[in-house]
Amino acid sequence: MRRPAVISLFALGYLALAAFNLLGVVSGVQRYTVLRDLPLAVPPAYLIVSSAVWAVTFALFGGGLWRLRGWARRGAPLVLALYLAQGWFDRLALARSDFARTTLPFHLALHLAVLLLVGGVLWWQQTRRLFSA
């Protein structure tokens, strides 16, 4: 069965998030000595390990969505929600700038809209049938 364009876009989005987090790992490893000397709220290892975990996770789920695997359809919204939750934890607990606080309403609305879109499309009845075929 042919994969709908929206599922292809979601899969590519998850793979793009994997690549983005992989770049975070590479950048963190390359600049570890600089990061170690900065007054960060968390150790540089937290940033590197966190990015590595998300790179692997998004690569797995992006590939699963691309191949129309049922486990990927069921888990993709949860993975995205956990990723955004960690981002919110980092923003609320660790952010030190006023800019981070002033952009909270925009980011909250954006993240909720993305979660509703991804979850809604992946739990839509026609999508469920596509993944179970």
Side-chain angles (χ1 to χ4, degrees), residues 2-12 66 130:
R2 190 167 180 258
R3 182 179 40 259
V6 69
I7 301 302
S8 296
L9 287 174
F10 283 178
L12 292 173
W66 188 263
L130 172 72

